[in-house]
Amino acid sequence: MGEIESVLEKYQIRPTAIRLLMYKFLRERNIAVTLNDIESGFEKSDRTTLYRTIKTFEKKGLVHQIDDGTGVAKYALDEKQVEDGLPQDLHLHFHCESCNETVCLTDHKIPHISLPQGYISRDMNLVIKGVCDKCSGK
Amino acid sequence: MGEIESVLEKYQIRPTAIRLLMYKFLRERNIAVTLNDIESGFEKSDRTTLYRTIKTFEKKGLVHQIDDGTGVAKYALDEKQVEDGLPQDLHLHFHCESCNETVCLTDHKIPHISLPQGYISRDMNLVIKGVCDKCSGK
DNA sequence: GAAATAAATGCAACTTAAGTGCAAACTTAT
DNA sequence: ATAAGTTTGCACTTAAGTTGCATTTATTTC
């Protein structure tokens, strides 16, 4: 059994052909991808299947969904987080308005924010928009 | 000329009947509303008109769009910001997963975050999800 | 004030992404 | 090998956002 199979099993995801391919696909890039991106990367499979596959990954905690403000859901692998045993995804995301790519800045945690009385925080989502290193040329 | 008219004129928005009504509508609540919310609040007008009206408000800087992770665009009045002359909207938003309401926490600014070399920040969006004061009962 | 011009509105239709139902194909356990 | 459960593919539905165009309304010019 390959390494990829064992990752999926670790997340209790049955390693079917498409799931293995999608996991590889996600590993190959370090940016968040849309369902459309995934679809373009697969010639064989059907959109619905890919949709349900990524949702399965999400439910099992292998990927997290990112809402970067473009209006389309994006997904990215989320492995480190589970290794740490953290229940939530509190790193921040950067969306480049030039190349339209979104990356996880996993080393940049969202700082603590004190809320008004009575407000209970369960999750946070911080997206910074601007120009990424590739596009700024610096 | 009433106070409401003069606010619209200040933003260079011609004060038509629908625009005045929508502005009043937005003022009446202190939460962010969807286009559907607005639609439900108006019996007379057409969805497209309301859509274009809110987009006009947005273009002129009277409202800002909020992306709270629910997948639907929400809008909220944005007056203070222009008084301060700030170009961007850097306060944070709280989305209650219980009542599904989103509020602007205008007094809570997003803390400064240092990005990796080459990344240029132009805008930020921070949404905290959890339970609001009304729903937590505290 | 009437005609000409420009802006706003309402209707219909289109686009895109997300999501569901169901039957066929495939796995897994017995 | 069979039965049960899971996954996959196709067709269809829903929901939000958006555009084109004709009509109405407001503004400007004469």
Side-chain angles (χ1 to χ4, degrees), chain B residues 75-124:
Chain B
Y75 303 90
L77 281 178
D78 196 27
E79 293 183 69
K80 280 187 188 169
Q81 168 185 331
V82 172
E83 280 166 26
D84 301 342
L86 292 174
Q88 282 163 358
D89 169 40
L90 292 177
H91 64 263
L92 61 92
H93 298 112
F94 185 91
H95 174 69
C96 177
E97 293 173 322
S98 173
C99 65
N100 205 35
E101 285 189 355
T102 297
V103 289
C104 301
L105 299 180
T106 40
D107 296 335
H108 290 67
K109 301 301 177 194
I110 300 176
H112 176 75
I113 286 156
S114 62
L115 292 170
Q117 183 68 25
Y119 284 77
I120 300 161
S121 165
R122 288 216 201 291
D123 193 9
M124 293 186 180

Side-chain angles (χ1 to χ4, degrees), chain B residues 14 16 18-19 45 48-49 52:
Chain B
R14 297 202 344 211
T16 66
I18 286 177
R19 288 171 179 179
S45 190
T48 312
T49 303
R52 283 195 266 234

Side-chain angles (χ1 to χ4, degrees), chain B:
Chain B
M1 181 171 61
E3 186 238 341
I4 290 178
E5 275 96 329
S6 65
V7 172
L8 290 190
E9 299 223 322
K10 189 175 120 202
Y11 284 85
Q12 300 184 42
I13 299 166
R14 297 202 344 211
T16 66
I18 286 177
R19 288 171 179 179
L20 291 167
L21 285 171
M22 188 182 291
Y23 177 65
K24 271 196 245 174
F25 182 87
L26 293 169
R27 280 257 288 238
E28 277 164 16
R29 42 219 89 203
N30 56 349
I31 62 168
V33 296
T34 67
L35 186 56
N36 266 343
D37 295 336
I38 298 172
E39 220 182 332
S40 312
F42 289 77
E43 291 181 5
K44 292 182 183 179
S45 190
D46 171 75
R47 224 172 62 86
T48 312
T49 303
L50 298 172
Y51 169 74
R52 283 195 266 234
T53 301
I54 198 78
K55 285 295 173 191
T56 300
F57 283 9
E58 193 189 2
K59 250 178 248 144
K60 299 292 188 176
L62 179 58
V63 304
H64 62 285
Q65 186 175 336
I66 301 158
D67 194 349
D68 65 4
T70 54
V72 248
K74 295 188 178 178
Y75 303 90
L77 281 178
D78 196 27
E79 293 183 69
K80 280 187 188 169
Q81 168 185 331
V82 172
E83 280 166 26
D84 301 342
L86 292 174
Q88 282 163 358
D89 169 40
L90 292 177
H91 64 263
L92 61 92
H93 298 112
F94 185 91
H95 174 69
C96 177
E97 293 173 322
S98 173
C99 65
N100 205 35
E101 285 189 355
T102 297
V103 289
C104 301
L105 299 180
T106 40
D107 296 335
H108 290 67
K109 301 301 177 194
I110 300 176
H112 176 75
I113 286 156
S114 62
L115 292 170
Q117 183 68 25
Y119 284 77
I120 300 161
S121 165
R122 288 216 201 291
D123 193 9
M124 293 186 180
N125 182 33
L126 173 56
V127 178
I128 301 183
K129 296 175 201 188
V131 186
C132 73
D133 55 345
K134 279 179 285 181
C135 293
S136 75
K138 287 178 192 168

